[in-house]
Amino acid sequence: MRSTPVSSRLPAPVSSAQFRLRLPDRTLDARGCHAALPSGGTATLEARVRAFFARQHDGPPLLVGLLPFDPDGDDAIYQPHSLETAAPDAATSAMPFTGVVQAEPGPVQYADAVRQALATLRDDASALKKVVLARTLRVRERTTIDARRLVARLDRDPEAMTYLCPLPVEAGAAPAWLVGASPELLVSRRGRQVLSHPLAGSARRRADPDEDAQAARGLLSSAKDQDEHRYVVESIVAALRPYCERIDAAAQPTLHATPTLWHLGTRIVASLRDPSTPVAALLAVLHPTPAVCGTPTALALQTIAALEPVQRGFYAGAVGWMDAQGDGDWYVAIRCARVQGREARIYAGAGIVADSDPAAEAAETGAKFGALLAALGVDAAVPIEQGDFR
């Protein structure tokens, strides 16, 4: 699946080009664009990064940016002008929402797409084991949506890695941003140590503590969710094995909580065989994982292209940084919105396996919209229209 071509032009080196990544131990705040990494797919990422640092001798020895969902699509990675230590914008309450929210597609149409995927998954002649199907909400406000204030409101979840990343746009178009709060570490590299913390399998949280605890127990005991999670962990371990030794992944997942969802998660720790292997090489073999795509990858990509009406772009890609030593942190770009002018497109997906229930998967995507809708000031009383703006 090839992304819709866009200009590879990255933000001009001005203060408005801000990349912000809140990590567990610090906040990376990068300003301006000093030089862009020539764009390409993940297969050429390691070579492009090595060539860039070999010839680039001024500016911070750091690259930041995004990988698209499509591993063959053009990434948007660049060297910032400077790194800042200023505190992030203070979180403010969202203004009352005065716009329109429209589903692309609505839950009924999404459930129909799930049924089509299930027909393939349940076909003994098909090799497809899992596919992740996404849908979107398109939000149109009466005034410009402030991406910086939006990410500041997402910062209220201390467990999530929040991010604000400028997007490439056509010449003359308004600036665009990917804004989100990801709970999922794709890969981190520090010297020889490699970490990954995939999440797959979800359940909506409940306001009542007893019901919430029951939802968590139900997720842990769910055979469907355990199967979905196992595909992801096995895929990551298999991808790391040629590069790593002493790969440690727990036999059973543990619960990971966000304000709106319970997830199954497994922490994977490994050691590089060759200490010179950079994080870019690991990204190329890991992305996209079954947590956002499915398995086997090529067949899942085909299914997504056939069933999803809105192209993903950088949703379900990866956001992060890498340096000249090969270290870096990259998170799965989920729980996010593409913000441009007065519009935002919010994305959410669910993993579909043979015993998935279409209505339950539609409800799961609805729950995953919650954090972004709340940050935009959209409450439950705002009607979500069905159809298409185009």
Side-chain angles (χ1 to χ4, degrees):
M1 183 174 73
R2 185 74 181 178
S3 300
T4 301
V6 296
S7 168
S8 60
R9 197 173 61 85
L10 283 161
V14 294
S15 60
S16 62
Q18 179 186 9
F19 174 95
R20 182 177 170 278
L21 191 67
R22 189 186 71 181
L23 300 163
D25 57 345
R26 64 192 173 101
T27 295
L28 173 60
D29 192 343
R31 302 297 177 98
C33 175
H34 186 72
L37 180 74
S39 59
T42 56
T44 64
L45 180 61
E46 180 184 1
R48 288 184 285 120
V49 171
R50 288 189 187 276
F52 181 90
F53 284 124
R55 67 174 181 270
Q56 193 73 15
H57 301 297
D58 58 345
L62 188 79
L63 290 168
V64 300
L66 289 160
L67 303 182
F69 168 69
D70 178 3
D72 294 326
D74 287 340
D75 46 33
I77 299 174
Y78 65 99
Q79 180 188 34
H81 254 305
S82 63
L83 303 178
E84 304 292 332
T85 58
D89 293 336
T92 58
S93 298
M95 296 293 290
F97 182 72
T98 58
V100 176
V101 182
Q102 199 155 27
E104 305 173 313
V108 173
Q109 293 82 6
Y110 177 81
D112 286 341
V114 172
R115 292 185 185 93
Q116 294 180 59
L118 286 173
T120 302
L121 287 160
R122 294 169 180 172
D123 184 349
D124 292 338
S126 173
L128 187 66
K129 301 299 182 186
K130 174 186 174 181
V131 63
V132 179
L133 293 182
R135 66 185 183 101
T136 65
L137 297 179
R138 194 171 180 184
V139 178
R140 176 177 288 172
E141 257 287 21
R142 293 185 179 180
T143 58
T144 298
I145 298 171
D146 189 327
R148 294 183 182 85
R149 293 295 180 90
L150 182 59
V151 77
R153 289 192 285 272
L154 292 172
D155 275 339
R156 292 171 176 169
D157 177 6
E159 300 299 322
M161 187 286 303
T162 56
Y163 55 96
L164 168 72
C165 188
L167 293 170
V169 296
E170 299 288 353
W177 313 86
L178 195 71
V179 182
S182 176
E184 186 168 0
L185 175 65
L186 176 60
V187 63
S188 173
R189 188 257 201 195
R190 295 290 190 281
R192 298 187 71 142
Q193 186 182 64
V194 174
L195 300 176
S196 182
H197 192 183
L199 305 179
S202 305
R204 183 171 62 87
R205 299 202 64 182
R206 312 303 172 113
D208 179 83
D210 292 336
E211 293 180 359
D212 193 43
Q214 183 177 357
R217 290 192 298 270
L219 179 62
L220 273 176
S221 62
S222 166
K224 176 262 181 187
D225 290 289
Q226 290 280 349
D227 286 347
E228 180 185 342
H229 188 80
R230 186 179 67 256
Y231 290 136
V232 178
V233 174
E234 290 177 349
S235 172
I236 291 175
V237 170
L240 290 177
R241 190 168 287 120
Y243 299 88
C244 297
E245 55 190 7
R246 296 192 298 277
I247 302 175
D248 180 21
Q252 295 295 325
T254 58
L255 288 169
H256 178 92
T258 73
T260 56
L261 290 163
W262 287 107
H263 295 286
L264 296 180
T266 297
R267 180 179 169 87
I268 300 170
V269 184
S271 179
L272 289 172
R273 299 180 191 275
D274 180 352
S276 68
T277 301
V279 72
L282 304 177
L283 279 170
V285 297
L286 289 173
H287 175 70
T289 74
V292 294
C293 179
T295 187
T297 303
L299 189 53
L301 285 168
Q302 293 173 16
T303 306
I304 289 166
L307 294 179
E308 289 186 7
V310 178
Q311 289 198 351
R312 294 188 179 190
F314 290 96
Y315 162 68
V319 55
W321 67 273
M322 63 184 82
D323 65 16
Q325 286 71 49
D327 287 342
D329 295 309
W330 288 83
Y331 287 78
V332 183
I334 52 175
R335 311 296 153 78
C336 62
R338 185 188 189 277
V339 177
Q340 186 173 30
R342 296 185 296 114
E343 291 191 0
R345 177 172 274 137
I346 309 174
Y347 302 83
I352 313 302
V353 292
D355 54 351
S356 288
D357 175 71
E361 303 298 350
E364 179 178 324
T365 58
K368 289 176 178 176
F369 288 133
L372 265 298
L373 287 174
L376 286 163
V378 182
D379 60 33
V382 174
I384 297 178
E385 301 179 2
Q386 311 302 310
D388 198 330
F389 280 134
R390 291 166 293 180

